[in-house]
Amino acid sequence: MDGDDVRRAIRRMAHEVIERNHGVADVVVVGLQTGGVPLAEALATALTEIDGHDVATGALDVAFHRDDVGLRPIMPEAVTDIPVDLTDRIVVLVDDVLFTGRTVRAALDALGGFGRPRAIQLAVMVDRGHRELPIRPDFVGKNLPTRRDELVDVSLDAVLLGELDG
Amino acid sequence: MRHLLGIDDLGRDGIDEVMALTDSFVEVSRRAIPKVPTLRGRTVAWLFYEDSTRTRLSFETAARRLSADTMNFSVGSSSVKKGESLRDTAQTIQAMGVDAIVVRHASAGVPWQLTRWLDCSVVNAGDGWHEHPTQALLDCYTLRHHLGSLEGRHIAIVGDVKHSRVAGSDVRAFAALGAKVTLVAPPTLLPASLAGWPVEVSHDLDAVLPEADVAYVLRMQLERQHEALVPSLREYTRTYGLTVDRARRLRPDALVMHPGPMNRGIEIAAEVAESSQAVIREQVSNGVAVRMAVLFLLLGSGRPDAHATADPVPTEVPLHG
């Protein structure tokens, strides 16, 4: 996917979010650190443009909620910033790539610290398969079947598929 | 990092790493439910041979916010009263399956000795007149929050340096981060030797205060002074106390710190402790997040020793060691 494809996918997902939730009045868009944050901002911008209402946007770092904490480096610059109480809101979690589902599981756990949302929905730019948990996205930019040893790199300018080194 | 015994174990990189992680745990502490599951299944025990309010509660809060189990031990109601040795007590606690022991003891070096006897992580929560590394870390964090960087800043540490483990760790930490440290105390309240301490010394608080970015007031350790080191407390207050009049010599943007508990009216006036320049309560609240970062680095990060340079070598331990 090139930059235009990514922008079109975000626009389409924005329409789907509005349709599913009958507008954006209660919607809070939360990007998962680090890859999901720029996508969340882009999605929130698209939602505002289409629906005309400002959409609250936050960022969530799930490092301390992962079941493999200790096996991965902690990135201190990846901060959590949830600007509103999530109680009774509809949270749209945004991530760049959906793979095993463990990050999303950790995110669901982490969100519990910020109130009790009415609903949590999941938007991902790429669903690459290989799920290890029963987690399914609500909004998908692109389904991209991959091998386990392949890498998917997502930015606002492109989605790239590569080989794992070695 | 396996143990946190002294500031020198961390070095500048280690301090920076703790500071960066503390940012994350400050954010966790501000959540409606300030708890993460990071240390679920881990157990932290307290081995406090000396009284403590803030350090123990702070460590305990930190451990609980990381979902660790905690095991409390207080000397006053334990078998220590029946003559059980430090070694037996510590090994008994470890045998119950703890991952870390946080120790405070009146004798310098006890945490280092424990690392020779135990397999679990050891955290120094104050040993003798020697070190109190987590206090220094929370002091550094508080200062960085206000000053940005400590590079080139002038910190005056005032008062009973001789008996202060806080001063021992603070001097090392502040110097590691590039600050200039001046100890201001009567000669009787300075250590016998300052060899190797990267500090200047002054006996004139009035002269130092206008140049200082920070006045770090130490507690008069009255319980540790077994001889007359100052003519009288009133005389001490007149010469070295941060009184209201003397605090006026500070620059308006200078900070006032104190490790607590305060002897109000002796080393610091109550009005100064409550002034807008004082960040004493902030030190306490930052302490929880700093200790979360330390416990996480010891028990949760799962990485090999990144900064521990002085991991004590458990060589042959003599039977009666």
Side-chain angles (χ1 to χ4, degrees):
Chain A
M1 294 169 81
D2 63 17
D4 284 341
D5 294 331
V6 173
R7 277 184 288 277
R8 267 195 295 276
I10 289 170
R11 194 105 188 146
R12 176 173 50 74
M13 283 196 282
H15 280 288
E16 290 172 5
V17 169
I18 291 166
E19 189 177 337
R20 166 86 70 95
N21 299 304
H22 311 292
V24 294
D26 295 327
V27 169
V28 181
V29 178
V30 174
L32 292 182
Q33 291 279 15
T34 52
V37 173
L39 291 169
E41 285 163 1
L43 180 65
T45 303
L47 289 171
T48 301
E49 283 172 7
I50 297 165
D51 197 71
H53 293 91
D54 283 340
V55 177
T57 314
L60 186 65
D61 176 28
V62 301
F64 298 126
H65 293 266
R66 292 191 65 101
D67 53 10
D68 59 353
V69 64
L71 303 177
R72 303 156 60 92
I74 298 292
M75 289 178 289
E77 68 279 9
V79 294
T80 294
D81 177 22
I82 306 287
V84 292
D85 183 2
L86 299 183
T87 301
D88 222 22
R89 305 293 289 265
I90 296 165
V91 176
V92 178
L93 272 180
V94 182
D95 206 358
D96 50 357
V97 180
L98 180 58
F99 184 30
T100 62
R102 288 176 190 268
T103 303
V104 175
R105 186 214 62 78
L108 295 174
D109 188 11
L111 281 176
F114 298 92
R116 184 179 181 278
R118 191 190 329 157
I120 301 174
Q121 297 163 1
L122 177 62
V124 296
M125 181 51 69
V126 172
D127 181 355
R128 60 171 295 193
H130 304 287
R131 212 80 74 242
E132 294 170 1
L133 298 170
I135 283 170
R136 192 180 63 187
D138 298 277
F139 315 105
V140 181
K142 186 170 180 60
N143 284 296
L144 189 63
T146 59
R147 293 197 315 268
R148 262 193 173 273
D149 60 353
E150 284 175 321
L151 285 177
V152 180
D153 182 42
V154 174
S155 70
L156 287 176
D157 299 320
V159 172
L160 300 171
L161 185 64
E163 293 285 323
L164 199 63
D165 287 340
Chain B
M1 194 166 86
R2 177 138 177 257
H3 308 292
L4 178 62
L5 304 176
I7 286 296
D8 290 343
D9 293 352
L10 288 169
R12 181 171 187 146
D13 289 347
I15 296 173
D16 283 340
E17 183 174 18
V18 173
M19 302 287 100
L21 265 173
T22 301
D23 281 334
S24 300
F25 289 117
V26 165
E27 181 275 314
V28 169
S29 296
R30 286 188 187 133
R31 294 182 188 177
I33 302 171
K35 204 169 171 94
V36 289
T38 316
L39 295 187
R40 205 162 45 195
R42 302 301 193 106
T43 304
V44 183
W46 325 117
L47 190 56
F48 273 54
Y49 280 78
E50 278 190 335
D51 296 337
S52 166
T53 305
R54 67 209 72 224
T55 304
R56 202 170 111 163
L57 288 178
S58 181
F59 265 113
E60 189 154 350
T61 307
R64 288 185 175 169
R65 285 185 180 173
L66 293 169
S67 302
D69 293 318
T70 58
M71 195 188 285
N72 268 306
F73 168 89
S74 87
V75 169
S77 56
S78 73
S79 288
V80 172
K81 286 283 181 202
K82 301 177 188 168
E84 187 170 58
S85 70
L86 170 70
R87 181 176 187 165
D88 283 341
T89 303
Q91 287 180 334
T92 299
I93 290 174
Q94 177 179 260
M96 292 177 191
V98 306
D99 299 285
I101 286 183
V102 179
V103 61
R104 168 169 287 194
H105 200 283
S107 299
V110 161
W112 279 262
Q113 187 59 47
L114 285 181
T115 61
R116 295 188 171 87
W117 292 334
L118 305 175
D119 298 321
C120 64
S121 292
V122 175
V123 183
N124 183 357
D127 65 321
W129 304 350
H130 182 215
E131 282 234 38
H132 190 357
T134 55
Q135 175 73 41
L137 291 169
L138 72 90
D139 289 335
C140 289
Y141 187 80
T142 306
L143 284 174
R144 276 205 177 167
H145 178 71
H146 285 276
L147 304 177
S149 162
L150 269 63
E151 200 71 53
R153 298 291 192 162
H154 185 190
I155 302 173
I157 298 182
V158 186
D160 187 0
V161 178
K162 178 175 180 161
H163 300 96
S164 175
R165 49 191 167 213
V166 173
S169 287
D170 268 346
V171 164
R172 291 173 168 90
F174 295 160
L177 296 180
K180 173 189 166 192
V181 180
T182 302
L183 302 178
V184 190
T188 51
L189 291 180
L190 287 170
S193 167
L194 286 169
W197 285 50
V199 294
E200 292 177 12
V201 174
S202 168
H203 306 302
D204 185 351
L205 182 55
D206 289 323
V208 172
L209 285 181
E211 300 166 7
D213 293 293
V214 180
Y216 196 108
V217 185
L218 295 171
R219 196 168 72 85
M220 273 296 262
Q221 310 262 350
L222 300 173
E223 74 280 9
R224 291 189 190 152
Q225 295 176 12
H226 303 301
E227 52 195 328
L229 297 173
V230 291
S232 72
L233 286 179
R234 182 180 291 187
E235 165 73 13
Y236 175 81
T237 304
R238 195 158 50 225
T239 326
Y240 289 100
L242 195 57
T243 58
V244 173
D245 280 346
R246 190 165 279 129
R248 292 200 184 101
R249 301 180 74 87
L250 282 165
R251 294 205 313 266
D253 60 342
L255 303 173
V256 173
M257 302 177 84
H258 191 296
M262 290 183 274
N263 298 305
R264 287 172 188 251
I266 298 179
E267 71 265 1
I268 189 166
E271 294 88 339
V272 178
E274 301 297 331
S275 74
S276 59
Q277 286 176 277
V279 293
I280 297 164
R281 267 192 286 277
E282 219 173 294
Q283 289 172 268
V284 176
S285 52
N286 288 335
V288 175
V290 162
R291 289 171 178 123
M292 287 171 82
V294 167
L295 290 176
F296 174 77
L297 277 173
L298 294 179
L299 301 179
S301 69
R303 290 177 310 149
D305 291 3
H307 300 292
T309 50
D311 200 17
V313 186
T315 48
E316 193 86 2
V317 178
L319 203 58
H320 303 290

